[in-house]
Amino acid sequence: MATLLRLLKYVRPSGMLVVATLTLMLLATLIDLLAPWVLRKVFDDGISKSDMGMVLMLALALFGLQLGKSLGSFAQGYTQELIGQNVVFTLRKQMYEHLQRLPFKYYDKAQTGQLMSRMTGDIEAVKNFVGFGGMMLVAGMATFVGTLIFMCSMQWQVTLLALSPIPLLLIVMWMFSRKVGPAWGKIREQMGRLTTTLQENISGIRVVKAFASESKEKSKFAGRNEQNFETNMHRAKLEANAFPLMGFLGGLTFLIMIWVGAVYVANDKMSLGTFMAFQWYTWGIIWPLNMLGWQINIFQQALKAAPRVFEVLDTKVDIESPADGGIDAATIRGSVKFQNVTFAFDKKSNEEQTKDLSKKEAAAASEQDRMEQENRAVIHDIQLDIKQGEVIAVLGATGSGKSSLIALLSRFYDVSEGSVLIDGIDVRDYELDGLRRSIGIVPQETFLFSASIRDNIAFGRPEATQEQIENAAKKAQIHAFIVNMPYGYDTLIGERGVGLSGGQRQRVALARAILMDPPILVLDEATASVDTATESAIHEGLLEVMKGRTTFIIAQRLSSIRRADRIIVLDSGKVVQQGTHRELNEQDGFFRRLLERQEMAAASSH
Amino acid sequence: MSQVEWDSEDELEEKPFQLAYVRRLFRYVLPYRRTLGIVILIVLLNMGLSLAEPLMLGYMIDDGIVKKDFELITWLGVSLLAFRLIGWLFGYLHTKLINFTGQRVLFDLRQQLFNHLQTLSFRFFDGRPAGKIMSRITNDTNAIGELVNGGLITTVMEVTHLVGIVAILFWMDWQLALLSFITFPLLYLIVGKLRPKIEGSWSKSRRTMSAINGNVNETIQGMRVVQAFSRQNANDKKFNEINSNNKSAFMRAIRMESTVWPLVELIGMIGTCIVVWFGAKRVIDGALTIGFVMAFINYLWRFWGPLSALSKVYSQLLSAMASAERLFEILDTEPEVKNAARAKELPLIRGEVEFKDVAFQYGPDKPEVLHDINLKVKPGQRIAIVGPTGAGKSTIVNLLMRFYDVTAGQVTIDGHDVKDVTLESLRSQMGIVLQDSFIFSGTIEENLRYGNEDATDEQLMEAAKSVRIDQFVSKFADGYQTQVEERGSKLSVGQRQLLAFGRVLLSDPRILILDEATSSVDTETELHIQTALARVLEGRTAFIIAHRLSTIRDADLIVVVRDGSITELGTHDELMKTSGLYANLVHSQLLMQQSFNDVLNEKSEQQVG
């Protein structure tokens, strides 16, 4: 019910259209009801009285009615679909905009296939009901009731008798509706799972092939496919049980009407014309009833699909600008401070915790949870004070929390405890878009979009001039490569364009960040896939870029961190060492071991 | 997101009606011909019953009511009831069997597509967004399933219905029948004119829909970049545009579509009116009975239902044809890399690898990326491949895995051309760790076992230990049973690389290929892995692509690749004696080291000073 009410809210802006559609539908129904009445007149007043003038007039009247109906149903066909499209348009728009604002935390667990199937199949299912289906339901009901009124006014005894199978029909309908709802829910869920399996297989096809595990993948998909077959057959069985029975019961009304009607006419209790008209009117009874089964299906599908869409829309965007809009980030200069920062990925919210626990248990659980959280934290109580313009190298073993630490800066995640300050202001107090724009990131995993190289570099600043773009590309040591491509900066890359090697992609991503001209620059293993020679060239180019900017460099190779003013070494989410190269070289630790290994490698190379 | 309009690929001309496709689709139904035969039989019988109804009603009026023959009325009533009961049973069987057939065809088609996809080569996937391929397996197959489910039977049913009605009408009174069909040429003309336009507008609407799908898919996959660059507003605008495009294309199609049916009905009404007028006249003249005219009009009325249903099937068919075209495009794509006709099993690999005059280009119209590669590797050797980005390093190992076939020359393992052995026996003995480590959703253990489900727990632990997975797994509450989520998003990039590495080690490959496998792994872990590898790789051949000198130096053979050619070949010491790229590389690393030391000293001087 709540789902239905919520769906209605989406229909409300199209209120005038709904009114228009319903009016047109009622008009069409009325005309449909009038036609048999005219026909009755043909028999009773025309033929019986041998009045051919009357017949001609009535025939013309029939045509006139149809003309009205045709015009009406043209308009109605348009308006009812427009309602559906309006709803779909809004739902899609909302979902897209919402998806773009959901935090990273959401995408850590989200399945692309499920999201896609919600965005397409589920929204489509909602549309089918809201537009065409819903309107037909209303029209069907109107036709049914209208027909009954007409028939009762002509001969109420026969009409009422004919209605006797209707209660039974309603019961069948109700039972079907109750069972088919869950069946549709299962089918939608199943489809999402199938899509997910598919998505993984196609995205990971290189790994599948490398392991020659195609046959395993085939049987995995066959499993999903089989489940899909079975859930659909279950639904088909429900339909087979209900639809023909409903058809039979509807037909029974017709039969009773004819049978009893015939006896009535034979006994002169009813005119032949009325009997004829009844025959036409049964259409008004049977059509809505036959349609019902199908409409229940559409309705139940929408009812199961809508919550899947709403679920996404209702996912809280818990990382957003403060309510008052936040502090303008345009003036950020770039000093950064981490104050007692602790961070865990799967922090359970308090509501979730207490939902199914009594108070006492909750208290105990929360204590336990706090400890658990402490253990699970990837960043522990970090204190850092970074001056504007400083170049900071972040070192540490795989999984020590380097990327997580940096992610807190841009508020990709919010800290669990403590606070991150930029220019002395908590990052949570800034306007979010501005904050992120003032931090240029070259992420570890390069994602480029299916677009031209130019558009990819100008991704964060679509209004950038060609000169600015080229400048950024030059600093990222990719300009020469780009101008050598067949279409230069207009060459399409990404899924549908030219394939770039890992190192080339990283450099495009670097140019993308440089173009943002951010006061804070983050290079998260930005040159891991680049050969050493290019790497030093990039770092030469970066020297100028880094001037005056606070820069974080995460890297595994010493060559990348040579220019750092300060080095921070992380271990299991804690800062274990920090200082200049020299200072760290004097301590026994990660940095010196790294240095020794590289020295060894270099020395033995000669 | 994408500035590219996504519809270019779908601009394949949507041809109105392709008999070849229909015939080919028919082959999918063939296995179920018996079920289908039963369904058709049922449908035809049912149709006969329903066609008899108006006749019986006419009979009831003329002989029952008018002549007050109550016995006849009862008999007719009973037989009508019997018809309905049979109709119920038939309906039950029909619904069940046709759903079975439709779903089965859907199942077969999907499975066939999926299976075929597994055989297709890298090149097929290189240029295609995943979202597009997916929508073929889900949506396009659905369109065909629906055609079988609804369209096929509807066609059989309604065509017989139509033929039956026309036959009955002519049998009843051919003059009246001719009169009622007098408007048909007009109908034909109008519909014939409108149809192509409507089809065009529907295909436009479908293309705009696929633009939406493509955009959403890419946005979701690139979400982290979108948010990092605060691109949401620009994206909103772009999406609003394609969303609006879709809406207006759809509404345009609807506008045209909704003119057709009212027009058809209106023209049909002219025929009915003529029949009413003419029929009435003949009744008054005493040539026809009322019941007869009644039945006649009743049949005429029923004529439009099947016509409307058939026109819907026709548009369904057209949309299914477009889908069929896309599906057959995939099914007709021959895997470029496939088992040769007489491919044999590759025996247990010893590890001798040879590249003979190998050249390669990614496509006939693409430039050659490898030229004249000659390389001989002895069993158990460790080969390092070095060179600038984009030089062709990954391409070389891809050829060894036979992800692509060489354009010229030959790649052999133990003297067997990789083209002459089965892909399964080749790839299952090789292990490649890619730089872009793709992790499947599921647990860590499931991912580790991906290449070797039968591995014992000891083997699993050993593989995990040698790549130090055990170190981070122990920090997870669920250990090896931790769910890593889609693409392993629960793990850091370095951890993902380690997991991908462990996965390959556990599959116990005879030849190991590392394509920048540890670029995001810290040097300490890397050193550990190298030590472990020395043990694991005992006697096995390995190819290593890496940028870090420490990884390369100890290789038995260093191959320097530049612009698609091997420019230097030899051991570290040999290459250091030349003044080639490798020596340069080492020098520059050394220089870097020195300048690093300078930094250290300089800073210390400053601080001391």
Side-chain angles (χ1 to χ4, degrees):
Chain A
M1 202 55 201
T3 310
L4 206 58
L5 284 179
R6 190 158 167 192
L7 272 179
L8 275 179
K9 266 189 220 150
Y10 284 89
V11 183
R12 196 178 293 154
S14 316
M16 285 310 288
L17 279 173
V18 174
V19 172
T21 309
L22 290 180
T23 314
L24 288 167
M25 276 183 160
L26 288 179
L27 216 66
T29 310
L30 202 66
I31 291 174
D32 278 337
L33 291 173
L34 277 174
W37 184 77
V38 173
L39 267 178
R40 184 175 79 148
K41 271 194 122 27
V42 171
F43 289 105
D44 287 355
D45 296 350
I47 298 177
S48 311
K49 295 175 185 158
S50 301
D51 184 351
M52 274 315 283
M54 188 68 170
V55 171
L56 185 65
M57 232 179 68
L58 290 172
L60 285 177
L62 269 180
F63 183 77
L65 284 176
Q66 180 62 46
L67 185 68
K69 192 190 157 191
S70 285
L71 285 176
S73 54
F74 164 67
Q76 176 215 326
Y78 187 76
T79 51
Q80 74 186 13
E81 289 295 338
L82 192 56
I83 298 168
Q85 282 297 314
N86 281 343
V87 173
V88 169
F89 183 84
T90 315
L91 272 177
R92 258 194 217 131
K93 185 177 147 84
Q94 285 188 350
M95 187 141 161
Y96 185 84
E97 288 176 3
H98 194 71
L99 279 176
Q100 284 205 94
R101 281 153 186 92
L102 284 174
F104 278 32
K105 198 172 70 186
Y106 181 79
Y107 288 99
D108 290 344
K109 294 206 166 138
Q111 295 174 324
T112 317
Q114 284 282 7
L115 287 180
M116 282 304 291
S117 99
R118 283 167 201 217
M119 191 81 179
T120 55
D122 287 319
I123 287 189
E124 191 72 21
V126 169
K127 182 198 89 171
N128 284 343
F129 170 67
V130 173
F132 183 60
M135 293 297 131
M136 283 302 252
L137 190 67
V138 177
M141 275 179 349
T143 310
F144 188 79
V145 174
T147 310
L148 278 186
I149 293 172
F150 257 73
M151 286 169 66
C152 279
S153 71
M154 287 194 224
Q155 226 300 340
W156 62 270
Q157 290 101 326
V158 179
T159 310
L160 285 189
L161 259 175
L163 284 183
S164 55
I166 300 292
L168 199 60
L169 193 135
L170 288 177
I171 292 174
V172 174
M173 219 178 71
W174 180 72
M175 274 167 52
F176 171 68
S177 175
R178 247 189 27 173
K179 280 189 196 151
V180 85
W184 278 117
K186 244 189 232 160
I187 289 174
R188 294 244 55 93
E189 182 60 37
Q190 192 58 55
M191 202 56 214
R193 253 182 267 159
L194 185 117
T195 318
T196 301
T197 307
L198 202 57
Q199 160 98 25
E200 275 222 314
N201 175 274
I202 296 171
S203 309
I205 194 82
R206 285 163 182 82
V207 177
V208 171
K209 287 190 169 291
F211 281 94
S213 55
E214 289 94 337
S215 54
K216 205 172 77 186
E217 289 291 314
K218 281 181 201 170
S219 68
K220 188 170 155 198
F221 184 76
R224 290 268 182 257
N225 206 359
E226 188 71 45
Q227 279 172 341
N228 187 56
F229 171 76
E230 267 154 25
T231 43
N232 263 301
M233 276 317 287
H234 174 65
R235 171 200 45 90
K237 224 187 266 165
L238 291 176
E239 284 176 8
N241 285 336
F243 285 1
L245 181 58
M246 284 162 71
F248 171 73
L249 290 172
L252 215 53
T253 17
F254 172 71
L255 185 68
I256 294 172
M257 200 161 342
I258 295 302
W259 198 341
V260 178
V263 175
Y264 265 62
V265 177
N267 285 330
D268 293 327
K269 280 188 199 155
M270 195 163 110
S271 81
L272 192 56
T274 309
F275 179 75
M276 303 289 188
F278 263 39
Q279 247 197 69
W280 300 112
Y281 280 132
T282 44
W283 161 86
I285 301 252
I286 292 177
W287 171 76
L289 291 180
N290 278 348
M291 205 88 118
L292 257 181
W294 175 76
Q295 271 158 346
I296 290 171
N297 258 341
I298 289 191
F299 175 65
Q300 288 288 3
Q301 275 190 67
L303 223 51
K304 286 294 174 285
R308 285 165 55 84
V309 176
F310 292 151
E311 188 189 72
V312 175
L313 290 180
D314 291 343
T315 307
K316 256 180 51 195
V317 178
D318 49 8
I319 295 186
E320 54 192 339
S321 297
D324 59 0
I327 298 162
D328 184 13
T331 54
I332 283 183
R333 298 189 59 245
S335 74
V336 175
K337 196 169 181 184
F338 286 81
Q339 228 165 28
N340 305 85
V341 170
T342 295
F343 170 65
F345 276 104
D346 38 7
K347 188 183 104 182
K348 277 186 204 148
S349 72
N350 282 330
E351 306 140 62
E352 239 175 281
Q353 238 172 61
T354 42
K355 211 188 282 171
D356 40 24
L357 292 172
S358 74
K359 253 191 185 163
K360 209 170 153 192
E361 278 173 318
S366 101
E367 175 60 20
Q368 191 191 349
D369 202 73
R370 203 189 57 74
M371 282 168 68
E372 222 169 80
Q373 200 177 301
E374 192 75 1
N375 287 335
R376 241 182 261 160
V378 288
I379 300 289
H380 288 278
D381 198 26
I382 284 193
Q383 309 276 3
L384 280 174
D385 208 338
I386 295 148
K387 287 193 285 292
Q388 192 270 329
E390 238 188 319
V391 176
I392 303 291
V394 184
L395 298 182
T398 309
S400 58
K402 306 185 292 288
S403 299
S404 304
L405 183 73
I406 295 305
L408 297 176
L409 202 59
S410 305
R411 285 193 76 198
F412 294 141
Y413 302 91
D414 272 341
V415 294
S416 308
E417 280 166 53
S419 53
V420 180
L421 310 172
I422 295 183
D423 291 353
I425 299 168
D426 193 315
V427 288
R428 286 169 289 194
D429 294 334
Y430 282 109
E431 190 265 319
L432 188 62
D433 277 9
L435 171 75
R436 287 182 177 164
R437 268 204 207 100
S438 53
I439 303 169
I441 294 189
V442 185
Q444 220 169 353
E445 281 179 301
T446 318
F447 188 93
L448 298 180
F449 294 92
S450 305
S452 66
I453 291 202
R454 181 205 319 279
D455 290 341
N456 264 294
I457 295 178
F459 187 72
R461 265 181 78 189
E463 78 290 350
T465 65
Q466 178 67 19
E467 202 191 335
Q468 291 169 320
I469 292 173
E470 280 182 24
N471 260 330
K474 276 176 195 156
K475 282 172 193 154
Q477 303 297 317
I478 189 80
H479 174 73
F481 170 77
I482 295 172
V483 291
N484 270 326
M485 301 233 280
Y487 301 102
Y489 278 88
D490 292 318
T491 311
L492 292 181
I493 53 172
E495 280 180 316
R496 305 189 61 194
V498 180
L500 299 182
S501 78
Q504 287 156 353
R505 295 160 59 84
Q506 281 193 330
R507 279 180 279 163
V508 173
L510 183 60
R512 178 167 73 186
I514 291 174
L515 184 65
M516 294 286 282
D517 192 21
I520 300 172
L521 192 63
V522 175
L523 309 175
D524 190 353
E525 297 191 23
T527 51
S529 304
V530 175
D531 59 285
T532 324
T534 315
E535 195 198 18
S536 7
I538 290 175
H539 281 280
E540 285 311 309
L542 278 180
L543 266 185
E544 194 200 328
V545 177
M546 292 192 295
K547 216 169 266 166
R549 298 179 212 272
T550 313
T551 309
F552 292 85
I553 302 176
I554 300 177
Q556 306 293 352
R557 278 185 271 176
L558 276 183
S559 49
S560 306
I561 60 166
R562 192 165 43 135
R563 299 288 174 180
D565 296 317
R566 186 148 46 121
I567 296 164
I568 291 163
V569 179
L570 288 183
D571 185 20
S572 302
K574 290 180 189 127
V575 176
V576 287
Q577 280 183 291
Q578 63 169 310
T580 62
H581 297 73
R582 191 187 61 90
E583 285 163 3
L584 292 195
N585 194 26
E586 281 164 5
Q587 300 169 12
D588 183 28
F590 187 88
F591 180 74
R592 198 157 82 188
R593 288 202 300 278
L594 180 71
L595 214 59
E596 280 164 0
R597 264 197 308 282
Q598 297 231 348
E599 248 165 30
M600 232 160 61
S604 63
S605 307
H606 257 253
Chain B
M1 171 87 16
S2 80
Q3 282 76 357
V4 190
E5 281 310 320
W6 278 84
D7 45 31
S8 54
E9 198 191 345
D10 294 86
E11 260 163 34
L12 296 167
E13 197 67 23
E14 281 190 27
K15 294 134 206 153
F17 190 82
Q18 296 243 357
L19 199 62
Y21 287 160
V22 180
R23 235 183 268 144
R24 193 161 162 191
L25 281 178
F26 217 77
R27 263 187 262 153
Y28 289 90
V29 185
L30 226 51
Y32 309 103
R33 56 179 176 274
R34 279 176 74 180
T35 320
L36 211 59
I38 297 173
V39 176
I40 289 176
L41 190 72
I42 289 174
V43 165
L44 289 182
L45 285 174
N46 214 359
M47 187 57 53
L49 294 183
S50 107
L51 276 177
E53 224 163 56
L55 268 181
M56 286 168 72
L57 285 178
Y59 195 42
M60 193 183 248
I61 294 171
D62 288 342
D63 292 341
I65 300 177
V66 177
K67 291 177 188 158
K68 297 196 193 302
D69 184 344
F70 287 97
E71 198 179 333
L72 185 68
I73 292 177
T74 311
W75 273 114
L76 285 172
V78 169
S79 34
L80 279 175
L81 179 66
F83 281 15
R84 293 276 163 170
L85 275 170
I86 297 171
W88 175 12
L89 176 72
F90 280 176
Y92 173 77
L93 289 173
H94 167 204
T95 313
K96 230 176 137 168
L97 293 177
I98 195 62
N99 264 296
F100 174 81
T101 315
Q103 290 295 333
R104 216 59 229 180
V105 168
L106 186 65
F107 175 91
D108 291 347
L109 199 57
R110 263 196 196 136
Q111 196 66 41
Q112 193 196 3
L113 263 171
F114 185 86
N115 290 355
H116 189 72
L117 274 183
Q118 305 306 304
T119 68
L120 287 178
S121 329
F122 273 29
R123 197 170 312 180
F124 177 84
F125 297 96
D126 285 345
R128 278 183 183 73
K132 272 238 149 88
I133 304 175
M134 276 167 56
S135 114
R136 293 186 185 192
I137 300 189
T138 53
N139 302 336
D140 286 328
T141 50
N142 248 347
I144 288 171
E146 265 161 33
L147 182 70
V148 174
N149 216 338
L152 191 66
I153 293 307
T154 311
T155 309
V156 173
M157 192 158 76
E158 301 300 357
V159 166
T160 46
H161 204 155
L162 269 186
V163 172
I165 287 173
V166 172
I168 290 176
L169 284 176
F170 272 90
W171 170 71
M172 285 174 79
D173 189 320
W174 66 269
Q175 285 166 310
L176 223 48
L178 272 183
L179 269 179
S180 50
F181 292 136
I182 208 163
T183 50
F184 261 52
L186 187 63
L187 204 68
Y188 182 80
L189 249 153
I190 291 176
V191 174
K193 259 218 143 78
L194 277 174
R195 260 294 146 208
K197 279 189 189 165
I198 295 175
E199 279 151 29
S201 59
W202 277 126
S203 88
K204 172 98 199 286
S205 158
R206 277 193 288 272
R207 283 204 301 273
T208 52
M209 190 62 223
S210 103
I212 289 183
N213 286 346
N215 185 295
V216 173
N217 201 320
E218 212 189 13
T219 307
I220 293 175
Q221 304 215 349
M223 192 56 78
R224 286 171 170 83
V225 179
V226 170
Q227 296 198 357
F229 285 82
S230 290
R231 248 296 270 248
Q232 290 97 325
N233 291 333
N235 282 355
D236 285 350
K237 228 171 90 194
K238 176 78 192 164
F239 185 76
N240 217 22
E241 199 178 299
I242 57 173
N243 201 7
S244 302
N245 278 348
N246 173 254
K247 186 174 160 186
S248 58
F250 185 88
M251 285 319 293
R252 201 177 103 87
I254 281 292
R255 203 161 50 233
M256 299 227 255
E257 183 81 60
S258 47
T259 50
V260 176
W261 196 243
L263 208 59
V264 168
E265 269 189 327
L266 189 65
I267 294 170
M269 198 58 179
I270 298 176
T272 311
C273 288
I274 294 173
V275 171
V276 168
W277 183 74
F278 198 68
K281 202 171 160 206
R282 304 254 312 255
V283 173
I284 294 169
D285 294 346
L288 295 174
T289 64
I290 291 190
F292 183 88
V293 174
M294 181 75 204
F296 195 89
I297 296 177
N298 207 335
Y299 276 118
L300 205 56
W301 217 277
R302 286 190 179 208
F303 185 80
W304 301 106
L307 215 57
S308 148
L310 280 176
S311 91
K312 270 180 206 132
V313 172
Y314 187 68
S315 28
Q316 202 181 13
L317 187 72
L318 287 177
S319 113
M321 283 304 106
S323 292
E325 183 161 5
R326 287 193 284 268
L327 294 183
F328 290 150
E329 193 232 335
I330 290 187
L331 288 176
D332 291 343
T333 308
E334 281 287 316
E336 286 165 38
V337 178
K338 59 178 174 189
N339 287 337
R342 254 168 288 158
K344 49 189 186 302
E345 293 277 310
L346 177 65
L348 190 69
I349 293 179
R350 285 184 296 114
E352 191 183 286
V353 174
E354 190 173 1
F355 283 73
K356 273 188 233 164
D357 308 318
V358 168
F360 179 71
Q361 54 196 106
Y362 277 97
D365 50 346
K366 302 262 169 75
E368 199 174 84
V369 288
L370 287 182
H371 330 278
D372 204 23
I373 300 286
N374 279 291
L375 181 63
K376 238 180 157 156
V377 176
K378 291 195 219 68
Q381 269 190 327
R382 223 200 275 197
I383 316 298
I385 304 179
V386 189
T389 45
K393 305 185 294 284
S394 299
T395 311
I396 292 180
V397 293
N398 281 343
L399 292 180
L400 184 59
M401 287 296 286
R402 220 187 145 208
F403 286 149
Y404 303 90
D405 271 341
V406 294
T407 325
Q410 206 179 22
V411 179
T412 62
I413 294 178
D414 297 344
H416 302 277
D417 190 324
V418 290
K419 281 182 176 176
D420 294 337
V421 296
T422 61
L423 283 171
E424 222 274 327
S425 66
L426 172 73
R427 289 185 188 156
S428 61
Q429 293 192 61
M430 319 247 282
I432 184 165
V433 189
L434 299 162
Q435 182 192 354
D436 243 345
S437 41
F438 188 91
I439 300 296
F440 293 94
S441 60
T443 64
I444 291 178
E445 180 171 345
E446 279 163 9
N447 265 293
L448 273 173
R449 287 184 186 274
Y450 188 79
N452 182 4
E453 282 181 336
D454 309 324
T456 64
D457 286 351
E458 287 85 59
Q459 287 170 323
L460 185 91
M461 290 312 291
E462 191 179 326
K465 256 184 208 141
S466 48
V467 291
R468 285 210 163 168
I469 294 176
D470 56 334
Q471 302 245 326
F472 69 82
V473 166
S474 63
K475 287 182 194 155
F476 292 134
D478 298 325
Y480 286 91
Q481 301 310 318
T482 306
Q483 291 285 339
V484 295
E485 308 298 345
E486 191 170 296
R487 281 173 180 261
S489 61
K490 187 152 191 189
L491 306 175
S492 80
V493 177
Q495 288 169 337
R496 260 176 261 169
Q497 283 191 341
L498 295 180
L499 186 52
F501 207 142
R503 171 169 80 182
V504 166
L505 284 189
L506 191 60
S507 76
D508 192 23
R510 302 294 308 168
I511 296 179
L512 182 70
I513 300 169
L514 308 177
D515 189 354
E516 298 187 32
T518 49
S519 61
S520 297
V521 173
D522 63 289
T523 39
E524 223 166 56
T525 307
E526 199 193 24
L527 188 76
H528 174 92
I529 292 176
Q530 277 177 23
T531 327
L533 268 188
R535 193 176 67 246
V536 175
L537 282 180
E538 189 66 57
R540 297 181 196 200
T541 310
F543 290 81
I544 298 166
I545 299 176
H547 290 306
R548 282 185 228 169
L549 203 56
S550 52
T551 326
I552 304 163
R553 205 192 49 232
D554 298 330
D556 298 312
L557 189 64
I558 295 167
V559 180
V560 181
V561 183
R562 234 179 146 174
D563 295 329
S565 302
I566 295 181
T567 52
E568 291 158 57
L569 195 66
T571 62
H572 173 81
D573 293 336
E574 286 165 13
L575 292 185
M576 284 311 290
K577 283 175 196 138
T578 69
S579 55
L581 187 78
Y582 181 75
N584 241 324
L585 197 86
V586 176
H587 282 305
S588 73
Q589 287 234 1
L590 205 71
L591 275 176
M592 194 280 299
Q593 193 68 44
Q594 271 164 8
S595 88
F596 198 88
N597 288 336
D598 287 347
V599 170
L600 286 179
N601 298 330
E602 188 185 307
K603 289 224 169 121
S604 60
E605 273 161 30
Q606 269 173 13
Q607 282 186 357
V608 171

